[in-house]
Amino acid sequence: MNILLLGSGGREHALAWKMTQSHHCDALFIAPGNAGTSEFGTNLPVSVTDFEVIKQACIEHKIGMLVVGPEEPLVKGIYDFFEADPQLQKILVVGPSAKAAQLEGSKAFSKKFMQRQNIPTAAYAEFTAANFEEGKKYIAQHGLPVVLKADGLAAGKGVVIAATHEEALKCFEEMILHKQFGDASSKVVIEEFLQGIEVSVFVLTNGSDYQIIGHAKDYKRIGEGDTGLNTGGMGCVSPVPFMDDVFMRKVEERIITPTVKGLEKEELIYHGFIFFGLMNVNGEPFVIEYNCRMGDPETEVVMPRLQTDLVALFAAMDNGTLADVNISYDERFCATVMAVSGGYPGDYEKNKIIHGLGPNNSKEVIVFHAGTKEDENKVLTNGGRVLAVSAYGNNIADAVIKSKNKLAEISFEGMYFRRDIGYEFKG
C-alpha cells in the first residue's frame, strides 16, 4: 500500500520511521516533510491544509492510506473532504471527522463533552465579548492560581496560568477584547488550577474499540528545573514510573472507556489517535485536554517503544478487528531531548547549518528531525524545535545520558537543549 503522511515535524519523522518498518508499506510520501523524513520516503511540497492539492497527490501516487500528523487539517475537515469525494472515498484516513476533532479544536466543546460523559476534569466557565463583564467578576472571586484557555487552536500558546487576579484580568482582556489569538480567543474557558503531575496517554480508536499504544511525560518549559516560558516541548520520557497498573486502571475506567463510549453515543466519527492530556492529582487522574492526534515530542518516545506494526494497527482500526490486536512494547525506557534554535520560544533565526548529524543507524539512539530542511546536500535549521534525539536505556537516566552524548556530537549556531529531562526520575 502507498501511504501519504501529512506534516513536517519530529512527530512525522517518528511516524515515517515506524511505518516504513511495516511490510504493508510499499511506498511512503510525506507532505511537506523535512530533511529527516526524506530518508524514508518522498517529500512533496504540499501544504497540510491545501486539500485540493492533497487530493491530486493521492490520485497521482495511488495512495491507499492518509495519515494526518498535525491538528489543523483535522479540525478543518480533511476526513470529511475525503469521505465526500468519490475519487478519495476508498482511501483509509487516519484521523477523526471535523465534528469529532472539536475535542481539540474547541476547549468549550471538549469540556461540555466531558461533563456529559462524567469524565473527571477541572471545574470551569466560558466567556465571550457578550458576557465579558461577568467574566471579570468570575475571575475576581476565583481562587488562585487561575487557568485561562483560548477556546480554539492557538499553536500551543493559548493557555495561561495566572498567579494573581490582576494578571488573569489582563490576559482575559488581551484574549477577548484585543483578539490575542484571533478567532481562537473569541471565547475563553476559565478553569480551576489542578495541582499535580502532567502526563499523557495515547490511544488508537475506531470510535467504538480502542488500544492504548503508550504513555509519556513531556517537559514544556524552556529552562532547566521547569522554569521559563512554555514551549511545544523540550523533551519527553516513557514509560512514566508512577503510571503503574493501579493508576492506568483508573485512567482506563474513568477516562478512556467513557470517552470512546461517548464518541459512539454522540455519533462522532473517530478513526485515529486520541491524546489524553492528564493531571495526576495525588494518584487520581483528571483530563486537562484532549488532542485529536499524536503529541510532539511524545511520538518520539512512544513510537520507539511500540513493537506492534503501526500500519497493521491502522488496518485493524479500519476493518473492525482493533479489539483483537495484541500491543507489545520494548521493555526499555526511552527518552528524547529536543535541540532548539537560539531565542526559542521567542524570535529565532533559521537557515543555520547543522553539523555532526552523521548516519542515523544506531540501534540505541535515533535522531528525529523536527524543524529542518535540505539545501544543496546541507541540512539547515527550519524551525524553533530543530532535532529530537531519542535513546533507549535500562532506566530514564541512562536513556537521557545517551541522548545528551549524541547531542554533544551535533551543533548549529545558537543550539540549546535542556540537560535535565527526566530529572525527577533519576533518584
Side-chain angles (χ1 to χ4, degrees):
M1 185 192 314
N2 290 354
I3 301 173
L4 176 61
L5 169 63
L6 297 187
S8 61
R11 165 183 50 217
E12 286 73 36
H13 190 178
L15 288 169
W17 171 83
K18 183 68 181 169
M19 288 192 296
T20 50
Q21 294 168 24
S22 170
H23 66 271
H24 299 291
C25 179
D26 295 321
L28 180 65
F29 298 85
I30 311 98
N34 60 38
T37 59
S38 61
E39 183 187 340
F40 298 102
T42 305
N43 288 348
L44 304 174
V46 175
S47 162
V48 297
T49 54
D50 194 335
F51 294 176
E52 286 295 338
V53 178
I54 291 168
K55 171 184 173 174
Q56 294 312 315
C58 287
I59 293 166
E60 181 184 341
H61 299 293
K62 299 182 172 58
I63 298 300
M65 180 186 289
L66 177 76
V67 180
V68 186
E71 62 276 16
E72 194 180 1
L74 293 167
V75 172
K76 288 186 170 172
I78 194 161
Y79 177 93
D80 312 77
F81 177 83
F82 271 62
E83 276 294 297
D85 191 314
Q87 291 179 280
L88 303 175
Q89 281 168 349
K90 288 188 177 153
I91 296 172
L92 193 174
V93 178
V94 179
S97 65
K99 197 171 176 192
Q102 285 301 293
L103 284 177
E104 176 168 5
S106 166
K107 302 288 189 299
F109 178 94
S110 70
K111 294 295 273 191
K112 288 185 184 117
F113 175 87
M114 285 183 256
Q115 278 192 333
R116 289 193 297 272
Q117 307 310 326
N118 294 314
I119 292 164
T121 188
Y124 83 104
E126 59 186 75
F127 299 95
T128 63
N131 59 351
F132 180 73
E133 291 302 320
E134 279 176 49
K136 284 166 64 178
K137 286 178 193 161
Y138 184 82
I139 289 169
Q141 60 194 22
H142 202 288
L144 294 171
V146 56
V147 182
L148 290 85
K149 295 180 176 179
D151 178 58
L153 297 181
K157 295 174 183 164
V159 178
V160 173
I161 300 169
T164 66
H165 290 113
E166 291 75 20
E167 184 190 354
L169 287 165
K170 189 177 172 208
C171 290
F172 185 56
E173 192 172 303
E174 282 294 321
M175 285 188 188
I176 286 189
L177 297 189
H178 303 301
K179 303 202 178 312
Q180 184 180 9
F181 302 107
D183 287 343
S185 61
S186 59
K187 184 185 286 181
V188 171
V189 168
I190 298 174
E191 282 186 358
E192 70 168 321
F193 176 77
L194 294 175
Q195 187 72 50
I197 304 169
E198 208 170 323
V199 290
S200 309
V201 177
F202 299 90
V203 160
L204 185 69
T205 185
N206 56 12
S208 55
D209 299 312
Y210 68 86
Q211 290 286 356
I212 297 172
I213 59 166
H215 63 255
K217 184 180 189 304
D218 180 19
Y219 295 79
K220 282 269 187 280
R221 302 277 187 174
I222 188 72
E224 293 181 7
D226 286 329
T227 57
L229 295 172
N230 262 339
T231 71
M234 293 298 294
C236 212
V237 298
S238 180
V240 183
F242 66 74
M243 294 181 80
D244 55 16
D245 289 347
V246 174
F247 183 77
M248 287 303 292
R249 201 172 304 119
K250 290 178 184 176
V251 171
E252 213 166 339
E253 289 172 1
R254 300 177 193 175
I255 293 168
I256 299 174
T257 301
T259 296
V260 175
K261 281 188 176 164
L263 293 172
E264 192 169 30
K265 201 187 320 179
E266 299 190 15
E267 298 181 345
L268 294 168
I269 298 166
Y270 208 115
H271 297 168
F273 298 110
I274 307 177
F275 167 140
F276 294 87
L278 306 177
M279 189 68 82
N280 176 356
V281 182
N282 299 320
E284 304 300 323
F286 289 78
V287 178
I288 304 169
E289 64 174 356
Y290 292 112
N291 289 337
C292 55
R293 35 74 194 182
M294 288 297 291
D296 193 350
E298 292 94 339
T299 310
E300 290 95 297
V301 292
V302 169
M303 287 301 142
R305 291 197 67 244
L306 180 68
Q307 289 189 324
T308 308
D309 182 319
L310 185 60
V311 181
L313 265 174
F314 293 150
M317 174 196 75
D318 183 56
N319 65 28
T321 60
L322 188 61
D324 305 323
V325 175
N326 286 320
I327 303 292
S328 58
Y329 302 101
D330 190 307
E331 290 300 312
R332 292 173 294 177
F333 287 82
C334 188
T336 198
V337 180
M338 191 66 82
V340 304
S341 296
Y344 175 80
D347 294 333
Y348 57 85
E349 294 179 2
K350 297 182 181 180
N351 300 311
K352 305 296 183 186
I353 298 171
I354 304 172
H355 303 281
L357 283 170
N360 206 358
N361 56 9
S362 165
K363 285 191 166 61
E364 294 208 313
V365 182
I366 315 149
V367 179
F368 292 119
H369 291 232
T372 67
K373 65 179 181 183
E374 289 173 290
D375 183 34
E376 295 180 356
N377 297 323
K378 293 190 191 78
V379 178
L380 307 179
T381 66
N382 192 37
R385 295 188 301 159
V386 178
L387 301 167
V389 177
S390 297
Y392 296 104
N394 296 322
N395 51 52
I396 287 172
D398 182 33
V400 171
I401 286 165
K402 287 176 188 168
S403 291
K404 291 192 291 187
N405 286 346
K406 181 63 182 176
L407 279 164
E409 300 171 10
I410 298 168
S411 64
F412 56 85
E413 187 188 324
M415 174 174 137
Y416 166 78
F417 62 91
R418 273 183 62 172
R419 289 168 165 78
D420 68 338
I421 298 303
Y423 65 91
E424 69 273 59
F425 303 121
K426 290 178 182 177

